[in-house]
Every structure is written in structure tokens, then in C-alpha cells.
Amino acid sequence: MAYYSVLDVTPTNDEWIPDYLPTANERVAAHGGKYIARTTSHEQVEGEMQEAGLRIIIEWPSKGAAQAFMADEAYAPHLAARTAGSVSHHYLIEGKDDLA
């Protein structure tokens, strides 16, 4: 079953970004992930305002693939750099409709 990573990322400095992008792109693909959206072009249309510089959606073939990406040793230093250089929230969402 597909899973989706939904992130909001607001950089507090951008020093980490040039090194982060090539590795993140490579490691996402290596774990079967596909970027659906990665953009600064977004607007919130409902609820209490939650500012974010960037919104990201990644589709994964399974929960295990998403978890393997997050645990990937080659990605670990880049995740640490993103965490230190941004305010980020990452949600892992199962691709199903519990209310259908």
C-alpha cells in the first residue's frame, strides 16, 4: 500500500540546502520514493495559520520504504543538517480512506 510523506520545511539558514538536495533526491529514488510536490507555491485555505517556506509530498511504495529512507545511513547527516537548519514537520500518511 502506498504511503505519503507530507512535510513543511522553513529554513532558518540555507547553508545545508546545496549538499542536501542531491543526496535527498538520490536516496528518495533508491527507496522507491517519488516527489509529487516540492514547492514554495502553496497557500493555506483553512484552519489556524501554519506558516511554511516549503511544502513537500513524497509518494512511497510502502511504509517500510519510507522508514528505510529515514534510517538510511547515507541520508543521516543530511537529515541532521536539515533538522538543525530548519523548522520542519514530517507526517507519514497511509494511502487509504478510513471513512469510505
Side-chain angles (χ1 to χ4, degrees):
M1 173 169 293
Y3 271 75
Y4 297 88
S5 286
V6 177
L7 299 95
D8 56 77
V9 178
T10 302
T12 53
N13 73 61
D14 57 5
E15 295 170 6
W16 56 274
I17 296 172
D19 289 335
Y20 179 89
L21 291 174
T23 299
N25 293 343
E26 175 186 290
R27 301 320 304 155
V28 164
H31 291 283
K34 176 184 174 187
Y35 285 100
I36 303 298
R38 187 168 38 168
T39 183
T40 60
S41 299
H42 56 81
E43 63 182 283
Q44 184 173 337
V45 296
E46 189 175 349
E48 186 177 332
M49 186 57 67
Q50 298 291 320
E51 298 290 336
L54 186 66
R55 304 274 183 190
I56 302 162
I57 302 172
I58 305 169
E59 182 178 45
W60 302 102
S62 66
K63 183 177 184 179
Q67 292 172 324
F69 165 73
M70 292 301 295
D72 187 315
E73 290 183 18
Y75 177 62
H78 301 281
L79 174 59
R82 177 176 60 81
T83 301
S86 71
V87 175
S88 300
H89 301 97
H90 183 173
Y91 307 90
L92 187 56
I93 301 170
E94 188 173 10
K96 67 177 187 172
D97 184 350
D98 287 336
L99 303 179

